[in-house]
Amino acid sequence: RVGFRALKILINRKDLFIKIFEKDPFKKSLVSEYENIEFVETRSFEDIERHMNDIDLFMTALPSRDAFKIIMRLAEKCVDIVDVSYIYEDPYVLEKIFMKCGRTYIPDAGFAPGYSNLLAGYAQDLFKDIERLEIYVGGIPRENIPPIGYVVTWSAEDLLEEYLRPARAVFDQKTVYKDPLEHIGEIEIPGIGVFQWFYSDGLRTLLKNIKARDMFEATLRWRGHLEKMRILKDLGLLSREKIVIDDNQIDMIRILASVFEKNLKIKTDDMAILFIRAVSRDERVYEETVVMYGDHEDPATTRFTAIVFASSLELLIDKRSEIDPGIMPLEKLYRYKDYYEERLYRYQPKKDLV
């Protein structure tokens, strides 16, 4: 969903020759008309290795359960990497490899985490000392539609990770872990609406790079959604436990993800919301709201993520001499805020961005 949309942005660059590594051979037809693309049917990492000599930079858009082990093996080949996968692992464990190679790794190059990190880095540059940083993000239908007020526009399995993975937050300068569904909050975003929110694990590299007394990321949903997700959790569907069906062991969360993929791909208009609020030690306030609108053929969350993903690769190409080697999440690239904003306007209808 994200990788192909990012590709459609990048194929217009005449200075790129692109290889696609994809396990599904039927997807070759999607790119067969383009002369600057080679499709490589990929069954193992060895299929990638056979092409390594031709490649300077990798973009990875993979399920979270697979992404990090692939990224780790790519890092050892001394290439630049821009990644949009929702990995659990700390990208900084690879820093020595990238520094030694003189290469750069941009993790979490998406909507949130991603563009949210960019704004957090911008806020820190404004204030130096942040008392409180609040990040609210959500990709949701424009209306609270049944049965749960949500539609699937990206990986359902990674979506469910948000409700399952303990969320890290900072309170009184200490990192704490929050059960995402233990606390339900409510917020009104001016001009947009009133939403529920829950703690989500989107701070990630911000825990290392942003100095704030209190800091958290929260995911937005329509009212009533989170109570329904609690029911699914209480039933055991929202867990990594395995169930045996006809002598086959299957993860409960993968069963639920399959149900979501089948029944929540509802054709409806959607929106991607990002609201950030930072307060300095001397009580200055920085707020920014970004809303992107989409429809069932071009969902906003997927489009927003793909634009940031593609723009991060373009930034690494266009500004290569200015970007240091090592781990370079978007909060470290805040000085390129205008670069990203220009591309958000360029790569989508103007009416769809507020």
Side-chain angles (χ1 to χ4, degrees), residues 198-347:
F198 65 99
Y199 291 115
S200 47
D201 195 44
L203 293 183
R204 299 155 72 81
T205 56
L206 296 181
L207 294 167
K208 179 181 179 67
N209 297 319
I210 300 295
K211 305 303 179 186
R213 185 176 183 84
D214 298 319
M215 173 170 59
F216 65 85
E217 186 209 75
T219 293
L220 300 171
R221 293 290 184 260
W222 287 111
R223 283 172 165 169
H225 170 85
L226 295 175
E227 289 83 357
K228 294 169 184 174
M229 296 304 295
R230 279 178 170 174
I231 293 172
L232 294 175
K233 183 178 181 181
D234 291 342
L235 289 171
L237 286 167
L238 194 57
S239 77
R240 296 189 183 89
E241 293 182 11
K242 296 183 182 296
I243 187 172
V244 178
I245 302 177
D246 295 334
D247 297 326
N248 297 310
Q249 286 194 342
I250 306 174
D251 292 340
M252 297 289 277
I253 194 171
R254 298 190 73 178
I255 295 174
L256 184 58
S258 296
V259 172
F260 273 33
E261 289 275 3
K262 181 178 184 295
N263 296 318
L264 295 185
K265 284 187 175 178
I266 302 165
K267 293 184 177 182
T268 187
D269 295 343
D270 74 330
M271 56 185 175
I273 305 167
L274 171 57
F275 173 68
I276 183 171
R277 186 174 192 268
V279 181
S280 68
R281 298 284 168 85
D282 58 359
E283 299 185 346
R284 289 177 292 157
V285 176
Y286 160 67
E287 290 185 350
E288 186 158 344
T289 304
V290 185
V291 182
M292 186 178 291
Y293 295 102
D295 55 43
H296 68 276
E297 293 183 349
D298 186 17
T301 306
T302 308
R303 188 199 316 146
F304 204 136
T305 303
I307 291 173
V308 177
F309 188 30
S311 298
S312 297
L313 179 130
E314 291 192 286
L315 179 71
L316 196 51
I317 294 171
D318 296 340
K319 308 290 184 180
R320 192 67 191 87
S321 62
E322 302 175 13
I323 298 175
D324 294 332
I327 313 303
M328 198 59 57
L330 267 67
E331 64 266 24
K332 287 191 171 184
L333 300 172
Y334 66 87
R335 64 186 182 277
Y336 299 106
K337 183 172 181 285
D338 289 346
Y339 184 96
Y340 281 91
E341 286 181 349
E342 188 273 331
R343 277 155 177 76
L344 284 174
Y345 281 107
R346 182 196 302 181
Y347 296 137

Side-chain angles (χ1 to χ4, degrees), residues 62-68 85-89 158 161 165:
L62 298 163
S64 59
R65 67 178 182 274
D66 301 322
F68 189 72
S85 313
Y86 189 53
I87 63 170
Y88 176 78
E89 295 82 0
D158 283 353
E161 275 284 321
R165 187 181 297 179

